[in-house]
Amino acid sequence: MSVVTAARCRAAPEVHEGTPRESIERAIEYIWERYSEPVSLDELSKSALLSRFHFARTFRDITGVTPGRFLSAVRIHQAKRLLVNTTRTITDISSAVGYQSLGSFTNYFTQSVGMPPSQFRHLGEGTVLGLLPPENHVHASRGTAAVTISFPDGCSGLRAYVGFFPSAILQSPPVAAKVIDAAGDRPPRCVLPNVPPGTWFVHAVATAGLDRSPRQLLFVDRRDAVTVGPHTALSLSMRLRPIRPTDPPVLLALPDLRALPTPRPAAGRAG
């Protein structure tokens, strides 16, 4: 009798609908719908039909960041969109994306995007290089990374931005970065000197067209926990793919990544 009672008192098994990725995608959809409101971990775990503990662990495994950081990234991403596409005041935008303090919003926006909201609105997306100033000499105590970028089929003319960052979210500032153009059918390769020793996230991103909205379709790739030591020479291969719902939004103010026009062949001279 006691065995039966114990069995009846056990918690009901957790209900799963779909794969873990599908569960996390439901929570991410909830974030995009409710980012302007206070969103709790309980709400997100319920939207994913997972327990709080299992949800938090699975969310980080799939996205690379915590639910709270993903929510913060969505809020800044939406603020970028509103700054570029509307004439609303920065105070209004701060409130619209879920911030109660204008100062907190401005500080986090500046840290993430690389410039304050007013400067971003003035310059617009695609006009500011998120690159470090060029250095005239190589630091012997730093590493060097050779990065090869493969583009999706049919997209060999894209221009990509690649950089080493301290975060799984592509946000300011990089410790080393470069813009690379694809020419021909072979994957382009770039060398990034002076990468400081440490463990970094390597991000690569390219735009998918001429649409300059912050929520445009992007091609992305990321390498996690890349360790650079003094005098290290690394070789990395990255393959760009269309951005997925589980990828955190790109926050850094990117350089102009529109593909360069294909040069026309010179006209032949008359004999």
Side-chain angles (χ1 to χ4, degrees):
M1 182 66 178
S2 60
V3 174
V4 174
T5 302
R8 288 178 178 173
C9 291
R10 291 177 186 145
E14 197 171 279
V15 177
H16 299 273
E17 288 192 5
T19 65
R21 181 172 292 273
E22 289 170 339
S23 296
I24 298 307
E25 286 181 358
R26 284 196 301 270
I28 290 173
E29 184 177 356
Y30 188 92
I31 288 174
W32 282 103
E33 292 172 352
R34 306 290 182 90
Y35 65 86
S36 62
E37 309 169 9
V39 178
S40 69
L41 185 62
D42 280 338
E43 291 176 85
L44 292 176
S45 61
K46 287 177 182 178
S47 71
L49 300 177
L50 299 173
S51 70
R52 278 171 51 106
F53 174 77
H54 186 54
F55 168 74
R57 183 181 59 189
T58 305
F59 192 100
R60 183 157 193 165
D61 287 344
I62 289 177
T63 67
V65 299
T66 64
R69 290 194 66 195
F70 200 103
L71 171 62
S72 296
V74 168
R75 286 173 170 166
I76 296 300
H77 181 83
Q78 292 296 73
K80 289 172 62 182
R81 181 183 63 82
L82 293 172
L83 285 166
V84 170
N85 296 324
T86 75
T87 59
R88 298 174 67 174
T89 67
I90 294 175
T91 300
D92 285 345
I93 291 173
S94 169
S95 177
V97 299
Y99 281 84
Q100 297 181 344
S101 165
L102 176 61
S104 296
F105 166 73
T106 301
N107 288 338
Y108 194 76
F109 187 100
T110 303
Q111 293 170 8
S112 301
V113 179
M115 65 188 69
S118 57
Q119 185 180 0
F120 181 82
R121 164 171 274 171
H122 176 70
L123 295 173
E125 184 73 90
T127 58
V128 176
L129 288 177
L131 299 171
L132 296 178
E135 299 192 44
N136 296 324
H137 62 281
V138 175
H139 293 274
S141 62
R142 298 190 176 190
T144 300
V147 184
T148 301
I149 305 289
S150 295
F151 291 84
D153 294 339
C155 298
S156 59
L158 292 182
R159 167 181 280 185
Y161 174 92
V162 59
F164 282 68
F165 291 81
S167 170
I169 298 175
L170 204 167
Q171 60 186 18
S172 182
V175 298
K178 185 170 285 189
V179 172
I180 179 172
D181 291 311
D185 297 328
R186 299 184 62 182
R189 181 176 180 269
C190 69
V191 176
L192 283 75
N194 298 326
V195 182
T199 300
W200 310 107
F201 296 85
V202 185
H203 291 271
V205 58
T207 58
L210 299 179
D211 181 6
R212 294 169 70 178
S213 165
R215 202 177 179 184
Q216 66 186 306
L217 176 65
L218 299 174
F219 292 122
V220 298
D221 194 15
R222 187 183 79 209
R223 293 289 179 270
D224 295 353
V226 176
T227 300
V228 178
H231 320 292
T232 299
L234 295 176
S235 180
L236 297 173
S237 295
M238 306 184 74
R239 183 171 184 81
L240 293 169
R241 54 166 176 77
I243 197 167
R244 299 168 181 152
T246 52
D247 291 317
V250 173
L251 301 186
L252 180 68
L254 293 170
D256 189 347
L257 296 179
R258 290 173 295 177
L260 296 175
T262 303
R264 296 180 179 179
R269 294 182 179 179

